[in-house]
Amino acid sequence: MPSTLGVLLTFLAYIIFIFIISQMTRRTDDNATFFLAHRASPWWVVAIGMLGDSISGVTFVSVPGDVVHSGMSYMQLVFGFFLGYIVVAYVLLPLYYRLRLVSIYTYLEKRFGLYTYRTGAVFFLVSKLFGAAAKLYVITLILQELVFAPLGVPYSLTVVGVVGIIWLYTQRGGMGTIIWTDVLQTLCLITTLVLIIYQLSSQLGLDFSGMIDVVRHSEHNRIFVFDDWGSPLNFWKQLISGAFIVIVMTGLDQNMMQKNLTCRNLREARRNMLSYGFGFIPLNFLFLTLGILLVYYAGAKGIALPEKTDSILPYLASSHLGSWVLICFTLGITAASFSNADSALTSLTTSVCTDLLGMDMKGGKSEKDLRHWIHLGICIAFALMVLIIGSLQQTSLLKTIYTAVSYTYGPLLGFFAFGLITKYPIRDCLTPYIALASPLVSYLLAYMLELTLGYKVGYEILLFNGLFTFSALWLIRQRDGKKVFV
């Protein structure tokens, strides 16, 4: 009961701080504030917030747990992430700032036409709704198991309550509020991670050099995999896949780019991108170090670990590591999940308003009222998606999310690549069919490669998907049409 009370009080205290920051930073209730915070955010504030947004609650539990099966090979993907951040900073950001976009998918309309524009926006909406809901599922499930289930609260009510809290503090300020609440959330996340590692090492009687020795001699410390080309963990597969995952999940994602576009100018936005991209490397290494320490702790104490790797950290934190670790864990995962969910809901609302309904930042009272209703509707759909995901059984949500977005973001990768590399116009009305067919063709190719050659396709399915979309656009290009320069 003391642990349950401590978790509940930690959660409530965190929510109070979020609402205080929300009230302090909410200047106006107009579209300019909600969409892009008047393009006046300090780059370093955005960078700190985006670091927490990129982590999410899924990373908090999946990355340490994945050490059991994959060692520290996740770092290969992280190194690829940084290459992707460089591409976004020097290829995509200049385009978005030159066109002064609110929604990045407006580029597709300028380059190709209305059908491609709407198709790109819809694929983003589907991808982000699933991905962000899967990440929020982690925090709602853990809060349910640790706090609300013992009190007799049904899981559905926990989900509605959490989404309702996010709706309350984002409905008016939008990005103008989230830019600042994300700073608190990131600082809480990093502090929590360090404190859990410290508490864990203390219980094991390890000083800093002792922790290094544990990691160095662990059977799970392997980072680089060069000797097995057929493995999804192969270095080159992971490195290249990581770069393209960032290009699509950051550079072609309205959620992440909307925060970048709140910076004052391109130079500051580029600083933001490179700074938080580099910070992602040591932060993920700490998560993997935590995973090795957890496995070592379980072995030293004779504790049987759960088969579901996402459950390892929650299980040890709630049952074996003591009240302080449990409270720290609750704070960290709440901060990580809220940081991801609040910006996702805002970007989804922005995309519906600007891409599907044609709103702009100068909208009047009627458009502002409509935006409020759309934001509420997105929150309801978000809560329903969390409940649907909760009915699925997955051993690693992080892998599930990356695999899913490899299919749904593939057409976006193909659209933007064709638009930037070539100047051909296309038969715009055919792009919705291409976007639907490309993931199906990619899935069939992956199935045939494994069946005939024993080659198991990993996250590189994203590359196949984008390549098929690019090739199909090449086939429907208008060779005699006037070249398009955007």
Side-chain angles (χ1 to χ4, degrees):
M1 185 63 184
S3 296
T4 301
L5 181 60
V7 170
L8 182 59
L9 292 176
T10 301
F11 178 74
L12 293 176
Y14 180 80
I15 299 303
I16 291 171
F17 273 111
I18 287 292
F19 276 100
I20 290 174
I21 293 176
S22 172
Q23 291 298 319
M24 292 173 61
T25 58
R26 189 173 65 189
R27 302 172 186 172
T28 57
D29 187 22
D30 56 15
N31 285 350
T33 299
F34 189 92
F35 294 154
L36 290 178
H38 291 277
R39 301 183 191 269
S41 302
W43 70 268
W44 58 270
V45 171
V46 180
I48 294 173
M50 289 186 69
L51 189 60
D53 191 359
S54 299
I55 292 297
S56 84
V58 174
T59 304
F60 210 98
V61 296
S62 283
V63 172
D66 197 49
V67 164
V68 173
H69 299 307
S70 305
M72 300 183 81
S73 62
Y74 182 71
M75 286 303 299
Q76 299 176 127
L77 203 67
V78 174
F79 294 141
F81 289 166
F82 187 67
L83 297 179
Y85 288 123
I86 294 174
V87 173
V88 174
Y90 287 95
V91 176
L92 293 175
L93 278 179
L95 173 68
Y96 300 153
Y97 268 85
R98 177 167 55 83
L99 298 177
R100 290 190 63 81
L101 302 179
V102 175
S103 167
I104 62 174
Y105 307 116
T106 307
Y107 164 76
L108 297 177
E109 182 180 31
K110 296 177 182 293
R111 177 62 180 84
F112 298 117
L114 183 62
Y115 284 98
T116 309
Y117 170 40
R118 294 283 171 81
T119 301
V122 169
F123 266 71
F124 160 74
L125 290 170
V126 173
S127 303
K128 181 54 62 177
L129 185 62
F130 171 79
K135 293 175 180 179
L136 188 64
Y137 161 71
V138 175
I139 176 61
T140 55
L141 182 62
I142 291 173
L143 286 173
Q144 178 68 15
E145 292 178 349
L146 296 181
V147 180
F148 298 113
L151 298 177
V153 179
Y155 175 65
S156 57
L157 186 58
T158 300
V159 171
V160 171
V162 170
V163 175
I165 289 169
I166 297 173
W167 171 73
L168 283 173
Y169 75 81
T170 60
Q171 61 157 327
R172 292 174 60 85
M175 279 296 161
T177 293
I178 289 170
I179 292 300
W180 293 98
T181 57
D182 278 1
V183 173
L184 171 66
Q185 291 161 342
T186 301
L187 294 177
C188 287
L189 185 153
I190 296 174
T191 302
T192 295
L193 177 59
V194 172
L195 287 175
I196 291 177
I197 292 176
Y198 173 76
Q199 288 287 335
L200 192 58
S201 61
S202 296
Q203 293 190 32
L204 289 168
L206 300 173
D207 56 13
F208 184 73
S209 61
M211 284 193 295
I212 294 177
D213 286 339
V214 168
V215 174
R216 183 186 302 165
H217 295 103
S218 172
E219 63 177 316
H220 303 289
N221 69 355
R222 186 181 186 184
I223 294 178
F224 301 106
V225 180
F226 290 105
D227 55 351
D228 187 359
W229 177 250
S231 170
L233 301 179
N234 177 269
F235 172 78
W236 296 108
K237 289 184 183 180
Q238 292 278 298
L239 186 74
I240 295 171
S241 297
F244 278 92
I245 284 173
V246 163
I247 290 172
V248 299
M249 290 188 69
T250 299
L252 305 183
D253 182 277
Q254 176 64 23
N255 176 23
M256 302 303 288
M257 284 297 97
Q258 193 168 345
K259 291 184 177 182
N260 274 273
L261 294 175
T262 67
C263 293
R264 297 184 180 100
N265 52 56
L266 173 60
R267 183 180 178 183
E268 293 196 1
R270 190 173 281 158
R271 283 181 183 175
N272 155 53
M273 179 64 61
L274 296 177
S275 297
Y276 103 84
F278 180 78
F280 211 57
I281 297 174
L283 191 57
N284 275 281
F285 187 81
L286 281 179
F287 275 112
L288 291 168
T289 299
L290 172 61
I292 287 181
L293 291 175
L294 289 171
V295 173
Y296 181 79
Y297 177 88
K301 302 294 184 180
I303 301 171
L305 293 175
E307 291 186 8
K308 189 176 180 181
T309 57
D310 283 355
S311 300
I312 291 176
L313 177 55
Y315 169 70
L316 291 178
S318 61
S319 303
H320 296 280
L321 294 175
S323 298
W324 281 110
V325 171
L326 178 58
I327 290 172
C328 288
F329 171 69
T330 304
L331 177 62
I333 199 170
T334 302
S337 298
F338 272 51
S339 177
N340 186 270
D342 56 18
S343 57
L345 288 171
T346 302
S347 64
L348 287 167
T349 301
T350 300
S351 184
V352 171
C353 290
T354 59
D355 297 326
L356 303 186
L357 301 179
M359 288 187 192
D360 57 33
M361 291 199 294
K362 299 179 180 179
K365 185 179 183 304
S366 60
E367 287 194 352
K368 183 180 71 175
D369 292 341
L370 179 58
R371 190 198 75 217
H372 285 160
W373 284 108
I374 291 172
H375 193 51
L376 178 60
I378 293 291
C379 288
I380 293 172
F382 196 66
L384 291 174
M385 182 61 73
V386 173
L387 293 173
I388 291 172
I389 292 171
S391 66
L392 304 176
Q393 297 294 322
Q394 293 293 337
T395 58
S396 176
L397 271 174
L398 189 63
K399 289 184 177 180
T400 302
I401 292 169
Y402 282 159
T403 301
V405 300
S406 294
Y407 286 100
T408 56
Y409 276 90
L412 284 172
L413 177 61
F415 288 162
F416 276 84
F418 190 89
L420 292 169
I421 295 173
T422 79
K423 303 302 177 186
Y424 286 110
I426 61 172
R427 294 178 178 85
D428 179 50
C429 62
L430 297 179
T431 55
Y433 304 103
I434 292 174
L436 290 173
S438 184
L440 296 176
V441 174
S442 300
Y443 176 80
L444 290 175
L445 175 64
Y447 176 77
M448 293 303 298
L449 284 174
E450 185 172 3
L451 184 66
T452 58
L453 302 177
Y455 179 89
K456 191 171 183 179
V457 178
Y459 301 140
E460 67 269 25
I461 192 69
L462 172 65
L463 305 183
F464 297 161
N465 201 346
L467 181 61
F468 283 131
T469 302
F470 187 99
S471 301
L473 293 178
W474 181 264
L475 293 176
I476 65 169
R477 74 190 188 282
Q478 297 177 346
R479 300 183 183 182
D480 301 328
K482 185 179 178 180
K483 294 292 193 294
V484 180
F485 297 89
V486 177

